Amino acid sequence: MIERLGRPLEELIPVAQVHRLRWGWLGMMIGGTLVLIPWIVYLAFALPDSYLVHGWTATWVGFDVLLAGLMAMTVVLGLLRRQLMLLTAFATGVLLLCDAWFDLMTAGPDDFWVSVLTAALADVPLA
């Protein structure tokens, strides 16, 4: 293990492959962040009035705002190549898995398959 840590990265993985992986991952995070912003605005206006009375609108919108903030911070720290990005990436992944779980557990019968597809194609892979 110590030998591997002492070896230059380009001996383990070609530099071009590392750059492709890094930019592919950052591209997905940037895209996810940009998609989440209009979704938050839509959610704030589309949730029923009964959610507003019980405070659920603020909960759902606040959760997505926190998720978007962590995703954006992960992108910024990734572009700056800061190690702190590992913490924001981990937190983002946990929130994405929680988002998928909450969406599946709170989906109505008509929305269940949309929640399954969203979880399978967006939340879980990005996490």
Side-chain angles (χ1 to χ4, degrees):
M1 173 117 169
I2 293 176
E3 255 182 64
R4 184 184 67 80
L5 293 175
R7 292 171 52 193
L9 181 62
E10 52 273 348
E11 287 182 19
L12 300 171
I13 302 172
V15 175
Q17 184 178 353
V18 171
H19 287 293
R20 276 194 311 274
L21 287 171
R22 180 172 170 263
W23 281 105
W25 178 82
L26 284 172
M28 286 190 330
M29 289 298 288
I30 290 168
T33 304
L34 293 176
V35 166
L36 199 53
I37 292 168
W39 170 252
I40 292 168
V41 173
Y42 167 76
L43 197 62
F45 291 106
L47 288 174
D49 291 337
S50 63
Y51 278 33
L52 187 60
V53 172
H54 298 293
W56 293 357
T57 299
T59 302
W60 287 115
V61 170
F63 182 88
D64 285 342
V65 167
L66 177 63
L67 180 58
L70 279 170
M71 288 173 74
M73 185 59 70
T74 301
V75 167
V76 169
L77 292 172
L79 290 172
L80 296 175
R81 296 178 177 225
R82 300 288 188 250
Q83 289 181 352
L84 188 59
M85 182 212 62
L86 295 173
L87 296 176
T88 60
F90 178 78
T92 300
V94 169
L95 285 183
L96 283 166
L97 293 175
C98 289
D99 188 37
W101 176 258
F102 291 145
D103 287 347
L104 288 171
M105 294 298 108
T106 60
D110 298 335
D111 299 330
F112 181 74
W113 289 109
V114 173
S115 294
V116 168
L117 287 174
T118 303
L121 299 177
D123 288 333
V124 174
L126 194 55

